[in-house]
Amino acid sequence: MPAVLEINRGRMLTKAAEVQKDAPVLAVVKNDAYNTGLPLAWRTFREAGIRAFATTSLREAVALRRMDPDCTLFLMNPVIDFDLLREYRIDMTLPSLDFYETHKERLHGIRLHLEYRNLLRRSGFETAEQMERVFLDKQADITGIWTHFAFADEPGAEHDREKRDWLGLLEQLSGHVRSLPFIHAQNSASYMLDGLLPGHTHVRPGILLYGSRPCSGIPESAVPNVITLSARVIQTIRLKKGESSGYCSAFRADEDCTVAVCDIGYGDGLLRTRARHDVMINGRRFPVAALMMSHLLVQTDDSVHAGDRVDLYSDELRVDHYTALGVGANSEQMSALNRMSLHTIIKE
Ligand SMILES: Cc1ncc(COP(=O)(O)O)c(C=O)c1O
């Protein structure tokens, strides 16, 4: 049996239903639903009452439409496949006045959400005046307005500023936006910080629906873990002081020791940064000695035997713990997991 990724669908469902009850959710399901699997996430979020989904990939939006004939699908990256957008009834971001002016003749029948650039400066209109030109043109089918905060995950002066700018822009455009069915800005951190912001129709979370806290100040109980990643000890080996194991002496023993060889490696998506921290075997933490493509060496003791389970992520070893330790963003750790080589189990 290869290393196992277990996804706790029951917990995903409970959390999604809780958020949806509090505020309408436009669920971010990009990158294969943060690598939990788009069909699973869609089925779970739909069961939780969520009726709107956002992704950056046209391919994913089309796949979602085939699963769900009547939800709202929002494409957060612009494309020029306008016929496909019409055919699959996919709403799309309108990322700039330039994009609008270049393509406006071909945008008919496509619902658009105007995007505000703000401090993220990734894409989006720069000013309310530019957006107003599109409203006044009256040719586009505008059904939404949105932005993405750059600093919500580290709230402070910059986040206060971007929030103020955005709320000011909505106020400035109030005559045009008041009755739009989609006004959305808030990722997980922003939602957990402020609840649904005034004048907004939806929150737009990702990571909190997939079991990680966007900021470490939030209690763990507020976002139950969803991901368990485990491997097995293939065998244990005894090394004498000075002996090495692994390619080019990846690990050299400072003293006589026991090393457990485990059946997981970076080929399964285990980040090298994660391997700088302990794993858990039989309820005890042990340090990683070396990471290879399909093997992990763990410095253990006589209590560890072939066949023992090795936990890399679990309720005690949460993805967000390692985010706080600098391993990588929550979504980065999850995206890295190789679903082609790992055996996935869904826990209902
Ligand atoms: C535009 C946009 N909105 C919302 C999200 C969701 O963010 P989070 O996963 O922090 O909730 C993302 C994620 O990267 C995003 O790019």
Side-chain angles (χ1 to χ4, degrees), residues 28 30 34 76 122 146 148 153 187-188 204-208:
V28 178
K30 64 183 185 169
Y34 287 50
M76 300 190 285
R122 194 162 67 181
W146 73 295
H148 190 42
D153 292 40
N187 70 352
S188 302
R204 202 182 59 243
I207 197 66
L208 93 89

Side-chain angles (χ1 to χ4, degrees), residues 303-347:
S303 68
V304 172
H305 300 99
D308 285 351
R309 172 177 161 139
V310 184
D311 281 318
L312 291 306
Y313 290 114
S314 67
D315 290 354
E316 283 154 298
L317 311 172
R318 293 173 54 116
V319 171
D320 54 30
H321 291 172
Y322 296 102
T323 302
L325 289 168
V327 164
N330 292 315
S331 52
E332 186 178 346
Q333 294 176 67
M334 290 183 61
S335 303
L337 299 175
N338 183 354
R339 301 276 309 279
M340 298 293 282
S341 66
L342 294 167
H343 177 67
T344 304
I345 295 176
I346 307 302
K347 189 169 177 187

Side-chain angles (χ1 to χ4, degrees), residues 32-152:
D32 205 23
Y34 287 50
N35 207 15
T36 60
L38 195 55
L40 173 93
W42 168 75
R43 177 165 69 87
T44 306
F45 297 159
R46 189 187 155 90
E47 203 176 321
I50 294 172
R51 300 304 301 124
F53 302 92
T55 175
T56 44
S57 146
L58 179 58
R59 194 171 53 83
E60 287 185 340
V62 168
L64 278 162
R65 176 58 76 221
R66 290 184 171 139
M67 291 181 234
D68 191 335
D70 38 53
C71 66
T72 295
L73 296 173
F74 176 53
L75 187 61
M76 300 190 285
N77 279 350
V79 294
I80 54 168
D81 308 74
F82 302 123
D83 290 337
L84 272 182
L85 294 172
R86 271 185 286 274
E87 182 182 348
Y88 288 91
R89 289 172 289 118
I90 297 164
D91 298 13
M92 188 182 75
T93 184
L94 186 58
S96 65
L97 187 57
D98 188 40
F99 186 97
Y100 179 64
E101 285 174 344
T102 307
H103 300 290
K104 73 175 177 181
E105 307 305 333
R106 302 175 60 209
L107 288 170
H108 60 89
I110 298 169
R111 287 187 291 261
L112 301 167
H113 299 202
L114 265 73
E115 178 179 357
Y116 179 47
R117 179 178 300 189
N118 215 334
L119 295 189
L120 187 63
R121 299 192 187 95
R122 194 162 67 181
S123 60
F125 286 69
E126 286 171 70
T127 64
E129 288 71 25
Q130 290 178 351
M131 288 179 156
E132 188 151 41
R133 281 172 59 182
V134 180
F135 283 113
L136 293 175
D137 199 29
K138 293 193 187 308
Q139 289 190 50
D141 186 4
I142 308 294
T143 57
I145 186 164
W146 73 295
T147 193
H148 190 42
F149 295 132
F151 296 99

Side-chain angles (χ1 to χ4, degrees), residues 253-267:
D254 291 338
E255 53 191 25
D256 292 2
C257 66
T258 302
V259 167
V261 183
C262 313
D263 62 354
I264 191 167
Y266 58 76

